[in-house]
Amino acid sequence: MMEYIPLNFPFLAAALLVGISFYILIFKRNLIKLIMGIGMLASGVNLFLVALGYRAGGNAPIYTDVPEGPMVLPVPQALTLTSIVINVAVLALMLTMVILIYRHTGSLDSEKSRKMKG
Amino acid sequence: MLSKIVRTVANQLILFILIFGLYVIAHGHLTPGGGFQGGAVIVSGVVMLLVAFSSQELKKSLRERLLSITESTGALIFSILAFAGIGTVFFYNFLVGTPIFGRIPATGPGPGNIWTGGFIPLMNLAVGLKVVAGLSAVVLAMALFSSGEEIEE
Amino acid sequence: MTSKKARNSLVIVSLVFVAFLVFALARDIHLNGIHIYTLGAIAPDLALPGGAMVPIRIILEVDGMSIFMGIIWATVSLAAAIFSLSHMARETGQTRFYTLLLLMVAGCFGMILTGDLFNLFVFLEIASISGAALIAFRTRFADAVEGGFKYIVISAVAGLMFLFAVGLLYGQYNSLNIGYLANVMQYGTLDMIALTLFLISLTIKTGMVPLHMWYPDSYTVAPANITAMLVITSHACMYAVFRICFTLYGITLDATTVGWIIIIIGLLTMFVGVTMAVFQTDVMRFMSYHAISQMGYMWMGVGVGLAVLGNPEALATYGRDAISGGIFHILNHAMYKPLLFMTAGALFHRTGTRDLNKMGGLGHNMKFTLILYIIGTLSIAGIPPLNGFASKFLIYESVYQFNPVLAVVAMLVSIITLASFTKAFQSAFTGPQLPEYKDVKEVPKPMLIGMGILAAGIIFTSIFPGLIVERIVKPATDALINQAAYVNGIMGGMP
């Protein structure tokens, strides 16, 4: 069964996630949906980074209960972890700002809560 | 504030979550894990307490001044460890070869030795402290802010 | 009250110390060449330990162009911090304000001085997050929070696209170091996609024209000295574009196409920026549209240099002068634009409004602010004694040899700039003294000292433009064009 899944399936999934999130960012008006779209974009990019590190026949770079053989480099996993930490901070900041905007203007629609034009 | 069954179960479960989170922080140089991952596990336990008890109750135990001091202590320990090897280079691993955390491990798979890794386990502890204090403060501030009350300076 | 004095003096002393270190490093680099620093190795310049083929560990690499941006950032952040000692004195939560300000200084320095692509991404995000938190700092204004929200959404999307492109390059060549990638780069399809993603994500953050809607909204509502620092952060993103186009890709990219794309971006940006600025009534919004338009000059100057990069005799005749003009304009813009923003902040501090229709006749009371505003206006319009004229003239005479239409459009934009600034000057400062502003005093001393540092820099550059071009701008141009020196700094002469 495993040979029917093509080898670049994770990359197709990452491209699909990025595409859907760009559709959300351009066409949706609710502020909470915008934040969810940015979270989905972050998931797509993190999946792409982890899928880059696959080497056929390699093992995980840990100590306990791993079979003999060559180990992969832990660099893509470190990049992904740093990206996850940064996205946690960005999402926390965005959610706090949405709470403040709701308090000032009483609506979550991005067309009704705009005050600056021109 | 939820019902009495939920509050009792949350009181018992927080101990196991705390132990598991400290295990993930402390073994960061041998198994997958480390400072941020273990800190996030402990914060999920704090969120469970926040949902079971209301945010007004939790504010009496987790005071804002204590969280701020803990967070700054974690950052300060990290900076001091990074600057301690400034005689050679910034971030030089000066504990390799010394008996504290400094043994050289054997190559290849096998049960790891916890006294290896240089200053990486100490940095994991500092980052874990900072993440627990910081994310708990963020979650508590958002819960208090949505229910109408402000946190002072 | 002693803790307040201790905190203020800690901030100012550390920024003065950082400025001293940056100037010492600048002198060392101009005498001795490129310096590298490996974090965590046995010795600072051991990039390839034990005969390895690929550089390991994070390496910071500083050449003439990096230290040029470093000098600008050290000066402007010191002036902005001194300005905020009295501008933010009435807010609550000032400890958090200074923490965020020092974080932003660290983030932008990391972006300028690094030699590693992923390190650039991390510091770009640090600078964006602290910048957005500083824009929305005065939470009692509704439009401040909205401006901060727009800034963080745009920065998050741009940062994630940048990370996608870094992942593409890492998957092909297994290294993240700029010097090593410049050595092994072959220009395939995936590298073209990565270059497109890099250019789009970084030019969104500098306010390029089709995607510039967020820029005036965010820069209007921030406190005035934070806007001054954010302008330099967008200059640092422009520096990252130059580092990727000239050093990472170098000769291998299709120089004519990419150069023409950058020139068209510069033309559109200049023109749209200044035409939108003419009919604004809010003084900070008016100045941020002018900031967009002046960036177009820098894009055009360096774009002409990039378009002739593969053509050695055109490069020697006018290409080098075009790049020098663009880089000199970065230096001048970084001195007069923060000064103008700070004068607008001084007007807001005393009158409580940003609307030009409501202000009038303030020149009778605020004499020092009037003089500083006149210095800034003459400089941005390119009037002969001041330094704006020197850099614009260098751009005009080299771009004219490339294509005459570009120079004509640039001169037209300069004339419209002067016209709009004259209108703003007349409505804010001259005229009869209005009754509600009768007892408006001059702004407090720390704000005047902050603005005075920048004005002193403008006057020094106006009196000795040749000295500045010889000693600071020419090494930066040579460092950008000379890709081989950057690679040799890391690989140490290995083939």
Side-chain angles (χ1 to χ4, degrees):
Chain A
M1 175 64 181
M2 287 298 286
E3 65 269 11
Y4 292 128
I5 303 177
L7 199 61
N8 46 4
F9 187 66
F11 297 106
L12 291 173
L16 191 67
L17 275 175
V18 171
I20 293 180
S21 77
F22 269 120
Y23 169 77
I24 294 177
L25 282 175
I26 296 177
F27 286 109
K28 295 290 179 187
R29 289 181 356 179
N30 194 345
L31 289 177
I32 301 287
K33 287 187 188 172
L34 274 183
I35 295 181
M36 284 200 261
I38 292 185
M40 202 188 261
L41 179 64
S43 296
V45 174
N46 291 338
L47 178 63
F48 175 70
L49 281 179
V50 168
L52 278 182
Y54 176 70
R55 300 280 178 264
N59 292 319
I62 55 178
Y63 273 108
T64 56
D65 289 334
V66 66
E68 294 278 342
M71 290 183 180
V72 291
L73 276 180
V75 174
Q77 296 140 18
L79 302 181
T80 310
L81 191 63
T82 311
S83 164
I84 291 178
V85 172
I86 291 177
N87 287 322
V88 163
V90 166
L91 280 172
L93 191 64
M94 281 198 279
L95 283 170
T96 310
M97 287 187 189
V98 166
I99 295 178
L100 277 172
I101 289 180
Y102 184 70
R103 237 195 214 192
H104 277 293
T105 64
S107 124
L108 276 179
D109 193 348
S110 70
E111 291 297 317
K112 291 194 190 51
S113 63
R114 287 179 56 179
K115 284 182 181 285
M116 295 187 277
K117 310 225 179 273
Chain B
M1 176 101 55
L2 296 182
S3 73
K4 190 139 181 81
I5 298 180
V6 177
R7 273 185 280 150
T8 315
V9 170
N11 272 335
Q12 303 302 317
L13 273 180
I14 187 66
L15 191 60
F16 294 100
I17 294 179
L18 197 62
I19 294 286
F20 181 66
L22 284 174
Y23 161 76
V24 169
I25 294 180
H27 286 74
H29 54 295
L30 299 171
T31 58
F36 176 73
Q37 292 93 315
V41 168
I42 297 181
V43 169
S44 71
V46 170
V47 170
M48 175 182 78
L49 281 182
L50 187 69
V51 167
F53 302 85
S54 67
S55 55
Q56 317 285 343
E57 283 287 321
L58 208 61
K59 195 170 82 137
K60 296 180 196 151
S61 319
L62 285 179
R63 275 176 292 270
E64 194 258 343
R65 193 168 163 74
L66 175 71
L67 288 175
S68 180
I69 292 182
T70 313
E71 179 175 358
S72 307
T73 311
L76 210 58
I77 293 180
F78 191 90
S79 305
I80 290 179
L81 280 175
F83 269 106
I86 197 74
T88 323
V89 193
F90 187 55
F91 267 113
Y92 179 63
N93 201 343
F94 63 100
L95 282 177
V96 170
T98 65
I100 324 168
F101 283 116
R103 310 232 173 92
I104 316 281
T107 321
N113 190 352
I114 201 171
W115 291 104
T116 57
F119 60 19
I120 293 181
L122 296 172
M123 280 193 171
N124 274 339
L125 282 171
V127 170
L129 265 182
K130 190 179 203 331
V131 168
V132 166
L135 278 179
S136 314
V138 166
V139 162
L140 196 60
M142 275 202 211
L144 282 173
F145 200 57
S146 309
S147 69
E149 170 179 332
E150 305 268 341
I151 276 197
E152 278 306 309
E153 159 111 1
Chain C
M1 287 299 114
T2 56
S3 72
K4 202 159 89 84
K5 269 192 189 320
R7 171 194 72 213
N8 289 347
S9 52
L10 176 69
V11 168
I12 302 292
V13 164
S14 53
L15 283 175
V16 168
F17 183 58
V18 164
F20 167 68
L21 284 178
V22 164
F23 280 108
L25 184 62
R27 188 164 181 280
D28 198 14
I29 286 185
H30 290 151
L31 291 175
N32 294 338
I34 295 184
H35 282 294
I36 65 172
Y37 195 88
T38 316
L39 291 177
I42 311 278
D45 49 359
L46 196 68
L48 304 158
M53 289 290 161
V54 175
I56 61 176
R57 297 198 176 101
I58 297 180
I59 302 182
L60 307 174
E61 182 165 356
V62 187
D63 63 349
M65 181 74 189
S66 312
I67 205 66
F68 171 80
M69 303 291 304
I71 293 175
I72 294 176
W73 179 236
T75 318
V76 172
S77 64
L78 182 63
I82 296 180
F83 188 89
S84 70
L85 285 180
S86 54
H87 189 60
M88 308 294 296
R90 283 176 266 162
E91 311 281 335
T92 61
Q94 286 185 48
T95 311
R96 308 230 189 310
F97 176 81
Y98 286 112
T99 308
L100 285 169
L101 192 133
L102 288 178
L103 257 181
M104 191 160 140
V105 173
C108 209
F109 262 124
M111 209 155 72
I112 292 173
L113 297 176
T114 185
D116 190 274
L117 272 178
F118 191 70
N119 215 7
L120 195 79
F121 164 72
V122 171
F123 281 112
L124 175 74
E125 290 289 311
I126 290 179
S128 307
I129 293 175
S130 44
L134 281 172
I135 290 178
F137 190 75
R138 301 187 289 203
T139 56
R140 60 182 190 273
F141 296 126
D143 47 2
V145 182
E146 181 191 337
F149 183 70
K150 284 187 185 167
Y151 189 80
I152 192 63
V153 165
I154 292 288
S155 297
V157 172
L160 285 170
M161 284 205 287
F162 189 90
L163 184 61
F164 198 89
V166 169
L168 276 176
L169 283 182
Y170 176 74
Q172 288 188 288
Y173 302 113
N174 261 329
S175 166
L176 290 166
N177 201 338
I178 297 183
Y180 180 74
L181 281 174
N183 217 4
V184 296
M185 168 73 65
Q186 305 130 17
Y187 193 58
T189 314
L190 281 178
D191 298 319
M192 275 194 260
I193 298 179
L195 177 68
T196 312
L197 280 174
F198 275 132
L199 281 181
I200 293 181
S201 66
L202 287 170
T203 53
I204 288 178
K205 287 229 20 154
T206 69
M208 166 185 85
V209 151
L211 301 159
H212 68 290
M213 326 293 186
W214 63 275
Y215 195 101
D217 288 343
S218 301
Y219 283 31
T220 309
V221 295
N225 48 345
I226 301 302
T227 314
M229 291 170 78
L230 284 171
V231 167
I232 312 295
T233 308
S234 58
H235 281 187
C237 297
M238 185 187 280
Y239 157 79
V241 172
F242 297 159
R243 184 58 79 202
I244 288 174
C245 282
F246 279 92
T247 307
L248 182 65
Y249 282 87
I251 312 285
T252 60
L253 60 76
D254 192 3
T256 321
T257 314
V258 178
W260 266 104
I261 291 177
I262 294 185
I263 293 175
I264 302 286
I265 288 176
L267 267 183
L268 267 180
T269 309
M270 271 198 283
F271 199 66
V272 171
V274 80
T275 48
M276 291 290 291
V278 169
F279 55 89
Q280 298 292 331
T281 58
D282 184 341
V283 61
M284 298 265 290
R285 199 173 173 88
F286 162 79
M287 288 188 184
S288 48
Y289 269 115
H290 276 295
I292 295 181
S293 137
Q294 293 293 312
M295 297 260 197
Y297 278 94
M298 304 170 216
W299 285 123
M300 201 167 74
V302 180
V304 165
L306 185 61
V308 296
L309 194 64
N311 192 352
E313 80 269 7
L315 191 67
T317 321
Y318 57 85
R320 234 172 238 272
D321 285 337
I323 300 181
S324 292
I327 294 180
F328 191 29
H329 201 71
I330 294 181
L331 177 68
N332 290 336
H333 185 246
M335 283 194 288
Y336 56 68
K337 186 52 81 175
L339 177 67
L340 284 170
F341 272 120
M342 284 188 202
T343 54
L347 287 174
F348 176 69
H349 188 80
R350 281 309 187 193
T351 65
T353 174
R354 287 195 307 255
D355 195 348
L356 277 173
N357 290 335
K358 295 204 184 77
M359 292 192 251
L362 287 167
H364 298 278
N365 302 336
M366 305 167 83
K367 295 203 170 30
F368 284 114
T369 313
L370 178 74
I371 296 176
L372 291 165
Y373 183 87
I374 291 180
I375 293 179
T377 307
L378 292 178
S379 194
I380 195 171
I383 305 292
L386 288 165
N387 53 355
F389 174 71
S391 63
K392 282 191 184 177
F393 192 66
L394 200 54
I395 293 181
Y396 293 155
E397 72 177 0
S398 45
V399 166
Y400 187 80
Q401 296 176 18
F402 183 71
N403 195 344
V405 176
L406 307 174
V408 169
V409 174
M411 282 191 240
L412 193 67
V413 165
S414 179
I415 296 174
I416 304 181
T417 308
L418 177 62
S420 54
F421 262 97
T422 313
K423 177 200 84 146
F425 170 71
Q426 192 254 348
S427 78
F429 285 100
T430 62
Q433 196 172 16
L434 293 178
E436 60 260 21
Y437 298 138
K438 199 174 357 187
D439 45 355
V440 161
K441 295 195 304 286
E442 186 58 74
V443 288
K445 269 207 192 18
M447 293 165 84
L448 284 178
I449 296 179
M451 292 194 274
I453 293 179
L454 292 173
I458 291 181
I459 294 184
F460 181 72
T461 315
S462 318
I463 301 181
F464 303 111
L467 186 72
I468 299 279
V469 169
E470 263 318 301
R471 301 284 287 268
I472 303 183
V473 176
K474 278 272 163 46
T477 313
D478 292 333
L480 262 190
I481 297 184
N482 193 358
Q483 184 195 25
Y486 198 91
V487 174
N488 275 339
I490 299 258
M491 308 292 285
M494 281 176 55

